[in-house]
Protein backbone atom coordinates (compact mmCIF):
# COMPACT_ATOMS: atom_id res chain seq x y z
CA UNK A 1 0.00 0.00 0.00
CA UNK A 2 2.53 2.63 1.12
CA UNK A 3 5.14 1.64 -1.46
CA UNK A 4 2.53 1.71 -4.22
CA UNK A 5 1.40 5.18 -3.17
CA UNK A 6 4.99 6.43 -3.08
CA UNK A 7 5.76 4.86 -6.47
CA UNK A 8 2.80 6.68 -7.98
CA UNK A 9 3.97 9.95 -6.44
CA UNK A 10 7.44 9.47 -7.88
CA UNK A 11 6.11 8.65 -11.34
CA UNK A 12 4.05 11.85 -11.34
CA UNK A 13 7.09 14.12 -10.86
CA UNK A 14 9.11 12.60 -13.70
CA UNK A 15 9.66 14.60 -16.88
CA UNK A 16 10.02 13.12 -20.37
CA UNK A 17 13.79 12.66 -20.19
CA UNK A 18 13.86 11.09 -16.72
CA UNK A 19 13.84 7.45 -15.62
CA UNK A 20 12.81 5.77 -12.36
CA UNK A 21 13.27 2.19 -11.12
CA UNK A 22 12.87 0.32 -7.86
CA UNK A 23 16.07 -1.39 -6.70
CA UNK A 24 14.35 -3.41 -4.00
CA UNK A 25 12.63 -2.89 -0.67
CA UNK A 26 12.08 0.86 -0.25
CA UNK A 27 15.04 1.95 -2.43
CA UNK A 28 14.61 3.63 -5.80
CA UNK A 29 17.01 5.03 -8.39
CA UNK A 30 16.27 7.92 -10.73
CA UNK A 31 18.20 9.28 -13.71
CA UNK A 32 17.99 12.87 -14.92
CA UNK A 33 19.80 14.43 -17.86
CA UNK A 34 21.74 17.43 -16.60
CA UNK A 35 21.11 20.68 -18.45
CA UNK A 36 23.14 23.89 -18.59
CA UNK A 37 20.66 25.61 -16.25
CA UNK A 38 20.94 23.02 -13.46
CA UNK A 39 22.91 23.85 -10.32
CA UNK A 40 24.77 21.33 -8.15
CA UNK A 41 21.51 19.95 -6.72
CA UNK A 42 19.57 18.06 -9.42
CA UNK A 43 16.09 19.51 -9.83
CA UNK A 44 14.63 16.00 -9.77
CA UNK A 45 15.89 15.53 -6.20
CA UNK A 46 14.02 18.60 -5.08
CA UNK A 47 10.83 17.42 -6.82
CA UNK A 48 11.09 13.99 -5.23
CA UNK A 49 11.62 15.50 -1.81
CA UNK A 50 8.56 17.75 -2.14
CA UNK A 51 6.40 14.89 -3.42
CA UNK A 52 7.30 12.39 -0.70
CA UNK A 53 7.19 14.75 2.24
CA UNK A 54 3.43 15.10 1.83
CA UNK A 55 1.38 12.77 4.10
CA UNK A 56 -0.33 9.74 2.56
CA UNK A 57 -3.87 8.62 3.35
CA UNK A 58 -3.84 4.83 3.57
CA UNK A 59 -6.79 2.76 4.77
CA UNK A 60 -8.22 5.66 6.72
CA UNK A 61 -4.93 6.62 8.37
CA UNK A 62 -2.57 9.51 7.67
CA UNK A 63 1.04 8.35 7.23
CA UNK A 64 4.00 10.71 6.98
CA UNK A 65 7.14 9.21 5.50
CA UNK A 66 10.75 10.33 5.48
CA UNK A 67 13.01 10.27 2.44
CA UNK A 68 16.80 10.21 2.12
CA UNK A 69 18.23 11.16 -1.28
CA UNK A 70 21.78 10.80 -2.51
CA UNK A 71 22.93 12.17 -5.86
CA UNK A 72 25.98 11.69 -8.09
CA UNK A 73 26.63 13.81 -11.17
CA UNK A 74 28.30 12.66 -14.40
CA UNK A 75 31.19 12.98 -15.12
CA UNK A 76 32.37 14.71 -11.95
CA UNK A 77 31.42 11.80 -9.67
CA UNK A 78 31.93 8.92 -12.08
CA UNK A 79 32.25 8.06 -15.75
CA UNK A 80 30.35 4.75 -15.73
CA UNK A 81 26.97 3.60 -14.35
CA UNK A 82 28.45 1.40 -11.62
CA UNK A 83 30.57 4.21 -10.17
CA UNK A 84 27.75 6.74 -10.33
CA UNK A 85 25.31 4.38 -8.64
CA UNK A 86 27.84 3.47 -5.95
CA UNK A 87 28.62 7.13 -5.25
CA UNK A 88 24.93 8.06 -5.17
CA UNK A 89 24.44 5.25 -2.64
CA UNK A 90 27.26 6.66 -0.50
CA UNK A 91 25.62 10.09 -0.62
CA UNK A 92 22.27 8.56 0.34
CA UNK A 93 23.90 6.84 3.30
CA UNK A 94 25.23 10.23 4.41
CA UNK A 95 21.73 11.71 4.08
CA UNK A 96 20.34 8.93 6.29
CA UNK A 97 22.86 9.54 9.04
CA UNK A 98 23.02 13.32 8.69
CA UNK A 99 20.98 15.92 10.54
CA UNK A 100 18.83 18.59 8.98
CA UNK A 101 18.98 17.49 5.36
CA UNK A 102 17.32 14.79 3.30
CA UNK A 103 19.35 15.44 0.11
CA UNK A 104 23.08 14.80 -0.06
CA UNK A 105 25.35 15.34 -3.07
CA UNK A 106 28.38 13.08 -3.39
CA UNK A 107 31.76 14.62 -2.68
CA UNK A 108 35.22 13.15 -2.67
CA UNK A 109 35.25 13.15 1.12
CA UNK A 110 32.71 10.37 0.95
CA UNK A 111 35.21 8.10 -0.74
CA UNK A 112 36.68 7.16 2.62
CA UNK A 113 33.21 6.37 3.98
CA UNK A 114 32.46 4.24 0.95
CA UNK A 115 35.76 2.40 1.15
CA UNK A 116 35.25 1.68 4.84
CA UNK A 117 31.72 0.47 4.20
CA UNK A 118 32.93 -1.87 1.46
CA UNK A 119 35.72 -3.14 3.72
CA UNK A 120 33.25 -3.75 6.52
CA UNK A 121 30.99 -5.67 4.15
CA UNK A 122 33.87 -7.86 3.00
CA UNK A 123 35.19 -8.44 6.54
CA UNK A 124 31.71 -9.10 7.90
CA UNK A 125 31.22 -11.72 5.20
CA UNK A 126 34.37 -13.49 6.39
CA UNK A 127 33.35 -13.20 10.05
CA UNK A 128 29.93 -14.71 9.44
CA UNK A 129 31.36 -17.46 7.23
CA UNK A 130 33.86 -18.44 9.93
CA UNK A 131 31.27 -18.31 12.70
CA UNK A 132 33.26 -15.74 14.69
CA UNK A 133 30.39 -13.36 15.44
CA UNK A 134 29.94 -12.86 19.20
CA UNK A 135 26.71 -12.90 21.18
CA UNK A 136 26.27 -10.78 24.30
CA UNK A 137 23.35 -10.95 26.72
CA UNK A 138 21.51 -8.19 28.61
CA UNK A 139 19.29 -9.06 31.59
CA UNK A 140 15.55 -8.54 31.73
CA UNK A 141 13.87 -8.35 35.14
CA UNK A 142 10.47 -8.00 36.78
CA UNK A 143 9.75 -4.37 37.62
CA UNK A 144 8.15 -5.06 40.98
CA UNK A 145 11.06 -6.93 42.58
CA UNK A 146 13.87 -6.83 39.99
CA UNK A 147 14.06 -10.60 39.75
CA UNK A 148 15.90 -11.54 36.57
CA UNK A 149 13.65 -13.60 34.29
CA UNK A 150 15.73 -13.79 31.14
CA UNK A 151 18.17 -12.16 28.76
CA UNK A 152 18.13 -10.56 25.32
CA UNK A 153 20.76 -11.84 22.90
CA UNK A 154 22.66 -9.08 21.09
CA UNK A 155 25.03 -9.59 18.15
CA UNK A 156 28.49 -8.13 18.67
CA UNK A 157 31.26 -7.83 16.08
CA UNK A 158 34.82 -7.01 17.07
CA UNK A 159 36.64 -5.84 13.98
CA UNK A 160 40.44 -6.36 14.06
CA UNK A 161 41.07 -2.77 12.96
CA UNK A 162 38.08 -0.74 14.16
CA UNK A 163 37.26 -2.58 17.38
CA UNK A 164 33.63 -3.25 18.22
CA UNK A 165 31.40 -2.04 15.37
CA UNK A 166 27.96 -0.79 16.36
CA UNK A 167 25.05 -3.05 15.32
CA UNK A 168 23.38 0.06 13.90
CA UNK A 169 26.26 0.10 11.40
CA UNK A 170 26.89 -3.55 10.60
CA UNK A 171 23.30 -4.87 10.60
CA UNK A 172 22.24 -2.61 7.67
CA UNK A 173 25.41 -3.69 5.85
CA UNK A 174 24.47 -7.31 6.43
CA UNK A 175 20.96 -6.67 5.12
CA UNK A 176 22.20 -4.87 2.02
CA UNK A 177 24.80 -7.52 1.17
CA UNK A 178 22.72 -10.64 1.68
CA UNK A 179 24.48 -11.66 4.91
CA UNK A 180 21.64 -11.09 7.37
CA UNK A 181 20.03 -14.52 6.97
CA UNK A 182 23.24 -16.40 7.83
CA UNK A 183 24.10 -13.84 10.51
CA UNK A 184 20.65 -14.12 12.09
CA UNK A 185 20.75 -17.92 12.09
CA UNK A 186 24.22 -17.87 13.63
CA UNK A 187 23.11 -15.54 16.45
CA UNK A 188 20.00 -17.63 17.14
CA UNK A 189 21.93 -20.91 17.16
CA UNK A 190 24.68 -19.63 19.47
CA UNK A 191 22.12 -18.02 21.79
CA UNK A 192 20.10 -21.21 22.10
CA UNK A 193 23.26 -23.27 22.71
CA UNK A 194 24.35 -20.96 25.53
CA UNK A 195 20.86 -20.57 27.04
CA UNK A 196 20.17 -24.31 27.02
CA UNK A 197 22.18 -24.55 30.28
CA UNK A 198 20.35 -21.70 32.01
CA UNK A 199 17.66 -22.35 34.64
CA UNK A 200 14.48 -23.62 32.97
CA UNK A 201 12.47 -20.52 33.86
CA UNK A 202 14.86 -18.10 32.13
CA UNK A 203 13.65 -16.65 28.84
CA UNK A 204 15.77 -15.88 25.77
CA UNK A 205 14.91 -12.96 23.47
CA UNK A 206 16.46 -12.75 20.00
CA UNK A 207 15.98 -10.07 17.35
CA UNK A 208 14.84 -11.05 13.86
CA UNK A 209 15.44 -8.88 10.79
CA UNK A 210 12.52 -8.23 8.40
CA UNK A 211 14.77 -9.65 5.67
CA UNK A 212 14.84 -13.01 7.47
CA UNK A 213 11.06 -13.15 7.44
CA UNK A 214 10.67 -12.05 3.83
CA UNK A 215 13.48 -13.95 2.16
CA UNK A 216 13.96 -17.18 4.12
CA UNK A 217 11.94 -19.97 5.66
CA UNK A 218 12.37 -18.56 9.15
CA UNK A 219 9.98 -21.00 10.84
CA UNK A 220 11.85 -24.00 9.42
CA UNK A 221 15.20 -22.53 10.42
CA UNK A 222 14.00 -21.87 13.98
CA UNK A 223 12.59 -25.40 14.27
CA UNK A 224 15.88 -26.97 13.16
CA UNK A 225 17.91 -24.84 15.56
CA UNK A 226 15.63 -25.67 18.49
CA UNK A 227 15.82 -29.38 17.70
CA UNK A 228 19.61 -29.42 17.34
CA UNK A 229 20.27 -27.36 20.50
CA UNK A 230 17.54 -28.90 22.64
CA UNK A 231 16.29 -25.44 23.61
CA UNK A 232 12.61 -25.28 24.52
CA UNK A 233 10.47 -23.20 22.13
CA UNK A 234 8.39 -22.06 25.13
CA UNK A 235 11.46 -20.21 26.44
CA UNK A 236 12.21 -18.39 23.17
CA UNK A 237 10.99 -14.91 22.25
CA UNK A 238 11.59 -13.53 18.77
CA UNK A 239 11.53 -9.73 18.53
CA UNK A 240 10.38 -8.18 15.27
CA UNK A 241 9.75 -4.62 14.15
CA UNK A 242 6.48 -3.66 12.54
CA UNK A 243 8.20 -2.88 9.24
CA UNK A 244 7.68 -6.58 8.43
CA UNK A 245 4.03 -5.75 7.74
CA UNK A 246 4.78 -3.24 4.98
CA UNK A 247 5.39 -5.80 2.25
CA UNK A 248 3.90 -9.28 1.62
CA UNK A 249 1.57 -9.26 4.61
CA UNK A 250 0.16 -12.72 3.92
CA UNK A 251 3.59 -14.38 3.96
CA UNK A 252 4.60 -12.48 7.09
CA UNK A 253 1.48 -13.48 9.01
CA UNK A 254 1.92 -17.10 7.93
CA UNK A 255 5.51 -17.17 9.17
CA UNK A 256 4.66 -15.58 12.51
CA UNK A 257 1.73 -17.93 13.05
CA UNK A 258 3.97 -20.93 12.32
CA UNK A 259 6.35 -19.71 15.02
CA UNK A 260 3.53 -19.35 17.53
CA UNK A 261 2.20 -22.78 16.62
CA UNK A 262 5.51 -24.36 17.67
CA UNK A 263 5.38 -22.51 21.01
CA UNK A 264 7.68 -19.56 20.28
CA UNK A 265 6.58 -16.15 21.58
CA UNK A 266 6.51 -13.19 19.20
CA UNK A 267 7.31 -9.70 20.50
CA UNK A 268 6.81 -6.37 18.72
CA UNK A 269 10.06 -4.46 19.19
CA UNK A 270 10.53 -0.65 19.19
CA UNK A 271 6.82 -0.07 19.82
CA UNK A 272 5.82 3.52 19.21
CA UNK A 273 8.41 4.33 16.55
CA UNK A 274 6.73 2.74 13.52
CA UNK A 275 4.28 4.03 10.95
CA UNK A 276 1.15 2.44 12.42
CA UNK A 277 1.80 0.60 15.68
CA UNK A 278 -1.82 0.17 16.71
CA UNK A 279 -2.71 -1.25 13.30
CA UNK A 280 0.09 -3.78 13.69
CA UNK A 281 -1.30 -4.90 17.05
CA UNK A 282 -4.55 -5.72 15.30
CA UNK A 283 -2.82 -7.50 12.42
CA UNK A 284 -1.24 -10.18 14.61
CA UNK A 285 -1.73 -11.55 18.17
CA UNK A 286 1.62 -10.63 19.69
CA UNK A 287 2.61 -12.09 23.04
CA UNK A 288 4.38 -8.94 24.21
CA UNK A 289 5.31 -5.46 23.08
CA UNK A 290 8.59 -3.74 23.79
CA UNK A 291 8.37 0.01 24.36
CA UNK A 292 11.15 1.89 22.62
CA UNK A 293 13.81 3.37 24.89
CA UNK A 294 13.23 6.85 23.45
CA UNK A 295 10.00 7.01 25.48
CA UNK A 296 11.54 5.61 28.67
CA UNK A 297 14.35 8.18 28.52
CA UNK A 298 11.80 11.00 28.72
CA UNK A 299 10.29 9.88 32.02
CA UNK A 300 10.52 12.79 34.43
CA UNK A 301 11.24 15.26 31.63
CA UNK A 302 8.27 15.13 29.26
CA UNK A 303 4.64 14.94 30.41
CA UNK A 304 3.47 13.99 26.93
CA UNK A 305 5.80 10.98 26.81
CA UNK A 306 4.60 9.87 30.23
CA UNK A 307 0.96 10.13 29.17
CA UNK A 308 1.71 8.08 26.06
CA UNK A 309 3.39 5.44 28.22
CA UNK A 310 0.38 5.34 30.56
CA UNK A 311 -1.92 4.90 27.59
CA UNK A 312 0.18 2.13 26.07
CA UNK A 313 0.49 0.27 29.37
CA UNK A 314 -3.24 0.57 30.03
CA UNK A 315 -4.12 -0.57 26.52
CA UNK A 316 -1.70 -3.49 26.74
CA UNK A 317 -3.19 -4.61 30.04
CA UNK A 318 -6.69 -4.54 28.57
CA UNK A 319 -5.59 -6.46 25.47
CA UNK A 320 -3.60 -9.04 27.42
CA UNK A 321 -0.12 -8.07 26.19
CA UNK A 322 2.91 -8.16 28.45
CA UNK A 323 5.02 -5.00 28.19
CA UNK A 324 8.81 -4.84 28.24
CA UNK A 325 10.35 -1.42 28.83
CA UNK A 326 13.86 -1.03 27.40
CA UNK A 327 16.33 1.75 28.16
CA UNK A 328 15.81 1.77 31.95
CA UNK A 329 18.74 3.74 33.32
CA UNK A 330 17.74 5.23 36.67
CA UNK A 331 15.47 4.69 39.66
CA UNK A 332 12.95 7.28 38.43
CA UNK A 333 12.29 5.05 35.44
CA UNK A 334 11.72 2.06 37.71
CA UNK A 335 9.35 3.93 40.01
CA UNK A 336 7.25 5.20 37.11
CA UNK A 337 7.04 1.75 35.52
CA UNK A 338 6.12 0.17 38.86
CA UNK A 339 3.38 2.74 39.47
CA UNK A 340 1.92 2.04 36.03
CA UNK A 341 2.09 -1.77 36.49
CA UNK A 342 4.64 -2.44 33.75
CA UNK A 343 5.88 -6.02 34.20
CA UNK A 344 9.36 -6.35 32.68
CA UNK A 345 12.27 -3.96 32.22
CA UNK A 346 15.67 -3.93 30.58
CA UNK A 347 18.46 -1.37 30.55
CA UNK A 348 21.85 -0.27 31.84
CA UNK A 349 20.49 0.12 35.40
CA UNK A 350 20.04 -3.65 35.44
CA UNK A 351 23.25 -4.43 33.62
CA UNK A 352 25.12 -3.84 30.38
CA UNK A 353 25.30 -6.54 27.71
CA UNK A 354 27.92 -9.15 28.62
CA UNK A 355 29.54 -12.13 26.94
CA UNK A 356 28.04 -15.52 27.66
CA UNK A 357 30.71 -16.43 30.22
CA UNK A 358 29.99 -13.32 32.29
CA UNK A 359 26.27 -14.01 31.91
CA UNK A 360 26.74 -17.55 33.21
CA UNK A 361 28.67 -16.20 36.23
CA UNK A 362 25.82 -13.78 36.89
CA UNK A 363 23.34 -16.65 36.82
CA UNK A 364 25.48 -18.94 38.99
CA UNK A 365 25.83 -16.26 41.67
CA UNK A 366 22.13 -15.56 41.76
CA UNK A 367 19.76 -12.95 40.44
CA UNK A 368 22.20 -10.06 40.74
CA UNK A 369 21.83 -6.69 39.08
CA UNK A 370 24.65 -4.14 39.31
CA UNK A 371 26.14 -5.81 42.37
CA UNK A 372 22.95 -5.74 44.45
CA UNK A 373 21.40 -9.01 45.56
CA UNK A 374 17.67 -8.89 45.00
CA UNK A 375 15.34 -11.20 46.91
CA UNK A 376 14.38 -14.55 45.48
CA UNK A 377 10.60 -14.69 45.49
CA UNK A 378 9.58 -18.32 45.37
CA UNK A 379 5.94 -17.64 44.60
CA UNK A 380 6.81 -15.86 41.33
CA UNK A 381 6.14 -18.25 38.51
CA UNK A 382 7.48 -17.01 35.19
CA UNK A 383 5.33 -18.66 32.54
CA UNK A 384 6.39 -18.83 28.87
CA UNK A 385 4.03 -16.12 27.66
CA UNK A 386 3.45 -14.14 30.81
CA UNK A 387 6.22 -13.11 33.19
CA UNK A 388 3.90 -11.74 35.84
Amino acid sequence: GLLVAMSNRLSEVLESNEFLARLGGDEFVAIQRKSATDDDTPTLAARIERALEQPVSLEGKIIKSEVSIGAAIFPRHGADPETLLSNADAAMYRAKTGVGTSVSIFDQGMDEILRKRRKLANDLNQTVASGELEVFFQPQALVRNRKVVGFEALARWKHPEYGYVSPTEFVPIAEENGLIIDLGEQVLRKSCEFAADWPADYRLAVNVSPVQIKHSDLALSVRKILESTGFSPQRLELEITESVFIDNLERTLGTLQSLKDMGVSVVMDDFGTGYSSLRSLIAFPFDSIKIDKSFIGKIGHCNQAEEILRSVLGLSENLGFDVIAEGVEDEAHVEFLRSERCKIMQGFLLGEPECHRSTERRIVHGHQVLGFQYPQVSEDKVTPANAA
Side-chain angles (χ1 to χ4, degrees):
L2 182 61
L3 281 175
V4 172
M6 291 301 170
S7 298
N8 292 335
R9 289 257 188 102
L10 292 173
S11 298
E12 291 172 358
V13 302
L14 293 179
E15 296 182 354
S16 59
N17 63 340
E18 296 168 345
F19 174 80
L20 174 73
R22 181 188 178 198
L23 291 179
D26 59 354
E27 289 193 4
F28 294 80
V29 60
I31 299 175
Q32 175 192 17
R33 185 181 298 276
K34 191 175 187 297
S35 68
T37 59
D38 286 335
D39 58 18
D40 285 342
T41 302
T43 57
L44 178 57
R47 280 182 270 133
I48 289 174
E49 183 179 21
R50 286 194 299 269
L52 298 188
E53 69 182 4
Q54 299 302 316
V56 176
S57 177
L58 190 64
E59 297 183 4
K61 293 180 171 55
I62 302 299
I63 300 172
K64 184 173 176 57
S65 63
E66 296 181 355
V67 58
S68 299
I69 303 173
I73 302 172
F74 172 88
R76 189 194 322 166
H77 303 144
D80 58 82
E82 290 77 15
T83 302
L84 284 168
L85 188 59
S86 178
N87 289 343
D89 184 66
M92 183 182 69
Y93 180 73
R94 171 69 64 85
K96 283 183 178 181
T97 57
V99 178
T101 179
S102 58
V103 180
S104 176
I105 308 300
F106 180 81
D107 62 59
Q108 297 305 317
M110 295 179 186
D111 277 344
E112 180 60 32
I113 297 175
L114 191 58
R115 282 195 293 270
K116 179 183 177 181
R117 194 169 174 81
R118 287 171 176 165
K119 176 175 174 55
L120 288 176
N122 180 66
D123 294 345
L124 181 60
N125 185 27
Q126 296 180 19
T127 299
V128 173
S130 61
E132 296 176 354
L133 203 70
E134 298 180 65
V135 180
F136 280 30
F137 298 91
Q138 187 173 34
Q140 297 179 338
L142 299 178
V143 173
R144 62 187 178 89
N145 61 10
R146 311 193 194 206
K147 177 183 177 182
V148 175
V149 293
F151 294 82
E152 179 183 2
L154 300 165
R156 291 293 183 266
W157 179 31
K158 189 173 184 178
H159 191 276
E161 180 179 348
Y162 305 120
Y164 279 105
V165 181
S166 170
T168 60
E169 185 172 6
F170 75 75
V171 170
I173 291 175
E175 291 176 335
E176 294 166 9
N177 290 272
L179 302 174
I180 193 63
I181 293 175
D182 289 342
L183 185 155
E185 290 182 356
Q186 187 175 132
V187 170
L188 179 60
R189 182 176 297 280
K190 286 188 175 184
S191 301
C192 289
E193 288 174 350
F194 296 145
D197 295 329
W198 296 351
D201 59 347
Y202 272 32
R203 310 274 300 163
L204 170 67
V206 182
N207 290 281
V208 174
S209 165
V211 179
Q212 291 176 263
I213 295 177
K214 295 177 183 177
H215 300 293
S216 71
D217 192 337
L218 179 64
L220 178 61
S221 175
V222 170
R223 183 182 299 278
K224 288 182 177 179
I225 290 173
L226 291 175
E227 290 175 351
S228 65
T229 61
F231 191 74
S232 170
Q234 283 73 31
R235 295 173 57 197
L236 179 62
E237 297 176 346
L238 295 182
E239 298 185 359
I240 68 168
T241 58
E242 61 179 319
S243 60
V244 300
F245 295 113
I246 294 179
D247 194 20
N248 204 337
L249 179 61
E250 184 177 351
R251 174 185 171 87
T252 297
L253 293 177
T255 298
L256 297 182
Q257 189 58 54
S258 295
L259 292 168
K260 284 181 67 73
D261 289 344
M262 71 176 74
V264 175
S265 298
V266 181
V267 180
M268 182 193 287
D269 196 11
D270 299 334
F271 184 82
T273 62
Y275 71 99
S276 182
S277 294
L278 295 179
R279 179 168 176 255
S280 299
L281 290 182
I282 296 173
F284 183 77
F286 289 91
D287 296 283
S288 307
I289 62 174
K290 196 170 191 180
I291 299 178
D292 187 72
K293 61 184 178 182
S294 61
F295 288 95
I296 304 302
K298 293 178 181 177
I299 292 175
H301 307 287
C302 177
N303 291 334
Q304 287 179 319
E306 291 182 1
E307 287 303 320
I308 291 173
L309 286 170
R310 290 189 180 96
S311 299
V312 170
L313 289 166
L315 176 64
S316 300
E317 186 175 25
N318 292 334
L319 294 178
F321 294 125
D322 281 347
V323 176
I324 306 165
E326 64 176 344
V328 176
E329 297 184 356
D330 59 46
E331 293 296 337
H333 296 167
V334 179
E335 290 306 314
F336 178 90
L337 295 171
R338 181 184 291 118
S339 68
E340 298 301 326
R341 300 187 301 280
C342 181
K343 292 187 176 179
I344 304 173
M345 60 183 175
Q346 175 181 345
F348 287 161
L349 180 65
L350 308 175
E352 296 185 7
E354 299 175 318
C355 69
H356 75 278
R357 293 186 181 85
S358 296
T359 300
E360 288 174 354
R361 286 195 293 269
R362 177 193 292 271
I363 293 173
V364 168
H365 289 91
H367 299 277
Q368 294 183 355
V369 176
L370 288 183
F372 295 94
Q373 180 73 43
Y374 295 106
Q376 304 287 327
V377 184
S378 59
E379 65 269 22
D380 287 337
K381 301 296 183 181
V382 182
T383 61
N386 185 15

